[in-house]
Amino acid sequence: ELERLSNLVGKPSENHPLHNSGLLSLDPVQDKTPLYSQLLQAYKWSNKLQYHTSLASGLLNQQSLKRSANQMGVSAKRRPKAQPTTLVLPPHYIDDVINRIDRMFPEMSIHLSRPNGTSAMLLVTLGKVLKVIVVMRSLFIDRTIVKGFHENVYTEDGKLDIWSKSNYQVFQKVTDHATTALLHYQLPQMPDVVVRSFMTWLRSYMKLFQAPCQRCGKFLQDGLPPTWRDFRTLEAFHDTCRQ
Amino acid sequence: MGVTCVSQMPVAEGKSVQQTVEILTRKLELLGAEKQGTFCVDCETYHTAASTMGSQGQAAKLMYVMHNSEYPLSCFALFENGPCLIADANFDILMVKLKGFFQNAKGNKIESRGTRYQYCDFLVKVGTVTMGPSARGISVEVEYCPCVVATDCWNLVMEFMQSFMGSHAPGIPSVFSNKHDSIYSPADTIVQYMELFNKIRKQQQVPVAGIR
């Protein structure tokens, strides 16, 4: 008799369009456990996800095809040429470029050192206003930190401190702007021009505390002097006045 | 250590010293300055003793021995218009030993005490100047910490002082104009305090009614 009953129970489940999960909807305790509705939602969600991924993969495939095609064509020719000239430069050439810049600006003194291998580190002292630590990779500037003229730029063991920031808000702001300038002055074919234009821009901070803002005409805004220098005209602006 | 300007704020009409200080500090707090404890600058006066004076009958010189809570380990000794000596704090004990040459003018001790505020890179110290038991005036010290050349940032400091002192912002201190492009030192601050204290000493005592 048990066999007869079990046959009766087994048959309707096979006919159901959602197969075994469809039985969940027949469960009388559905009001208490929202299992069935959750199941339906999960099903819809995974359906949508599949649809979107197929669209996205279609789009990405188009793009990646183009880019890889570009790389194929260009990298083979340009890479071996461009990289050796800009990334691997002899140290005496770098010394030479830095020396020339040092002589160009009398109010700026540049001290070059190589504490860790071939990468040069510059300590730039601008008048009696500020000091800048410049970390170079070949002739590319990797990182700059601006500090006050009387702030300590060395760690306890006498090395240049390239990690800690200035104690003063003004110089923290100028550090941010200097980092922006690094990204702005880019010319991979002529790295010495980049360093020179960066230093020219940096030199405009000589009058950090003396120049009023070119837009609002005031010295202070939120307690800070005009910390921004325009990349082309080198005019002084407050951070919020420059737009 | 940055460039510092010390000035005197006149007591507002119909107000006591205390009330004027409160008005000033409230303005600073509205500006966004944060309170950072207290400060104190004191000054003791010494006469050159009669026995050490030359036969030419020169006038007795005054020497000032001052302390500044910003430099707690130092002691400043200076003549008017003369050199300023920066020594360790136990210089005071040495002065006791030099009694034969320099005599302490008792009751001439003058000091300024008050609250220290920080606003961005500025340090502002508003103090009550007291001589003996009576309050004689208000001192306002503004320090712009990132800069070391006084004439470079004077306009900037001036603009800041005007923002909370209004028309009472001072003119350029005389120590600034003598410095040209050289680096500002803590001794220049102490000289400004000495000049301020001397000015206040000479002033008429504030009417007693104005003091609480």
Side-chain angles (χ1 to χ4, degrees), chain A residues 51 54 95 164:
Chain A
Y51 174 66
S54 66
D95 288 3
S164 68

Side-chain angles (χ1 to χ4, degrees), chain A residues 128-129 148-150 167-171 206 208-210 217-225, chain B residues 1-2 119-122 144-149 151-153 155-157 159-160 181-183:
Chain A
K128 283 172 185 163
V129 180
F149 180 75
H150 56 298
N167 290 326
Y168 303 113
Q169 293 187 23
V170 187
F171 297 121
M206 194 67 195
L208 175 62
F209 303 117
Q210 296 173 51
K218 288 190 170 176
F219 286 96
L220 289 174
Q221 194 181 68
D222 300 326
L224 291 173
Chain B
M1 180 215 65
Y119 171 67
C120 237
D121 295 325
F122 288 97
Y144 188 58
C145 304
C147 189
V148 290
V149 179
T151 41
D152 274 12
C153 65
N155 286 319
L156 190 148
V157 171
E159 195 181 288
F160 176 63
D181 281 348
S182 56
I183 291 172

Side-chain angles (χ1 to χ4, degrees), chain A residues 27-47:
Chain A
D27 195 356
V29 287
Q30 194 225 1
D31 289 341
K32 286 177 205 158
T33 53
L35 205 61
Y36 183 66
S37 56
Q38 277 177 357
L39 184 79
L40 283 183
Q41 272 189 346
Y43 179 72
K44 273 185 203 161
W45 186 83
S46 76
N47 246 0

Side-chain angles (χ1 to χ4, degrees), chain B residues 87-102:
Chain B
D88 281 359
N90 50 10
F91 182 78
D92 296 304
I93 302 155
L94 189 71
M95 284 308 289
V96 177
K97 298 224 169 184
L98 290 175
K99 230 186 287 180
F101 302 95
F102 297 103

